[in-house]
Structures are given as structure tokens and as C-alpha cells.
Amino acid sequence: MEKALLKLAKQLNAYDEASLTELWNKYEAEVSNFEPTRKWEEAAVVFGMIQAVRLKNQLFNYHWAQTAGPESMSPRPDFIPGKGEDDLFGSKPGNKSGGSAGGSKGSKVIRLQPRKDS
């Protein structure tokens, strides 16, 4: 089973996020209209895989920015995550909806923050 899952992960990782994001709205709509069918179950798995790729890319970008430093990834010279108007994902602090690439109605960005050690 693990080999099959790793094969799926490699295949999904070969696609760019933009191509997968185009399918996001379709599968979000299918999953939101629950039907106790195999088709609905498969749509839910596809939707989860698209979400997983998006999460992986967000985590990658977050960690890359942390290791490379704010200057190397910055779209603006004065951009420092958590210090300026925009956070790492392009939304303003206090904005509960988060930013979204392309601004499509169904696309949502999960705001990731490092754990605070107690």
C-alpha cells in the first residue's frame, strides 16, 4: 500500500499547482453536494489530493522563505514576513479570509503559522 501511495504522490507532485487549482472549484462543488455514492467518495479523495498539493506548496514556500531569508524571496525590498502590511501568503494581518491566488471565489488559502513553544 505504501508503494502505491508514494507512486500517487510522485505523480501528483509532477503536476503544477495551477493546473490542479483549475479543478478545485469543480471538485469542491461535487463534494459539497453529498451523495452516498462511490462517485462522491472519489470526488472527495480527488478534492483532498488537490488540497494536499496546495498545502505542500504553502509549507514548502514558508520553509524556503525561513531558510533563505526575507530578502531573497521578497517581491518588495521592505517586505519582511510578520513585520509589514502583508504576511507570507499575501493577506493583511487580521484578515480572516486570507489571501488567494487569482482571487477566485472558491479558492481558499490556509494560513500556516509556526507552533508557539510553551
Side-chain angles (χ1 to χ4, degrees), residues 37-67:
T37 63
R38 180 66 119 183
K39 183 180 177 185
W40 181 89
E41 290 180 15
E42 291 169 356
V45 171
V46 169
F47 184 65
M49 289 188 295
I50 293 169
Q51 289 291 90
V53 170
R54 294 175 75 190
L55 174 62
K56 183 266 307 177
N57 289 342
Q58 288 178 350
L59 286 170
F60 181 91
N61 291 338
Y62 174 81
H63 289 293
W64 183 265
Q66 294 297 308
T67 60

Side-chain angles (χ1 to χ4, degrees), residues 27-45:
Y27 284 96
E28 187 272 336
E30 285 187 36
V31 170
S32 66
N33 295 317
F34 174 73
E35 297 173 3
T37 63
R38 180 66 119 183
K39 183 180 177 185
W40 181 89
E41 290 180 15
E42 291 169 356
V45 171

